[in-house]
Amino acid sequence: MLSYVHALNAIDEAMRVAIPSLERLADVLGMARSRRISRSGHIGAHSYTVHGVGCRFVSGNGTEVDVDFEADGSEIFDLWRLRRYGLSLPKAVDVTDEDLRSAVRSLRPLLAEVRPGWFSVAS
């Protein structure tokens, strides 16, 4: 769980270095919609694919971080995204939904449930 949060923070930092005008990770959506960047490609050491209200980032070692964005730009994720992250790790980790829910609950107040089944890092 914390590994996903750390990976998401590392992507945010890498994207800001690669695109200095990026104020927050959610701005990738607007940049793709306005065609300043393509909907998929490579930025720095990550490939990315913009989808709906989110983006999937894949690092050079294949680790996948998929995240959606709220209207205010905050990053949110669900159990499916956490599972996909775990399965994409160099040493894959496969856990049940119940184990994921339990892990998320154990990380309160660091993680907040913003709507049923969707979480964000508390500010």
Side-chain angles (χ1 to χ4, degrees):
M1 201 61 54
L2 287 177
S3 176
Y4 174 91
V5 172
H6 290 300
L8 183 58
N9 288 338
I11 289 167
D12 182 35
E13 185 176 317
M15 295 297 282
R16 288 175 195 242
V17 168
I19 307 172
S21 63
L22 198 71
E23 292 183 28
R24 58 188 183 175
L25 195 55
D27 292 342
V28 169
L29 294 180
M31 294 178 84
R33 290 177 182 146
S34 67
R35 299 177 190 218
R36 293 190 324 208
I37 62 173
S38 72
R39 293 188 66 78
S40 63
H42 292 273
I43 296 178
H46 296 88
S47 66
Y48 71 94
T49 304
V50 171
H51 59 75
V53 295
C55 194
R56 181 173 65 101
F57 299 92
V58 180
S59 69
N61 70 0
T63 301
E64 177 181 314
V65 174
D66 195 330
V67 63
D68 278 5
F69 302 102
E70 292 277 63
D72 67 359
S74 60
E75 301 145 353
I76 62 171
F77 47 90
D78 61 359
L79 299 181
W80 180 82
R81 284 164 177 75
L82 292 172
R83 173 173 285 118
R84 293 206 26 118
Y85 169 77
L87 292 172
S88 74
L89 292 170
K91 227 177 170 175
V93 177
D94 189 12
V95 294
T96 66
D97 278 353
E98 190 50 46
D99 287 341
L100 285 171
R101 278 188 200 92
S102 178
V104 168
R105 280 192 291 269
S106 75
L107 290 173
R108 287 185 184 144
L110 172 65
L111 297 181
E113 190 166 8
V114 295
R115 62 179 186 253
W118 286 86
F119 308 92
S120 74
V121 178
S123 46

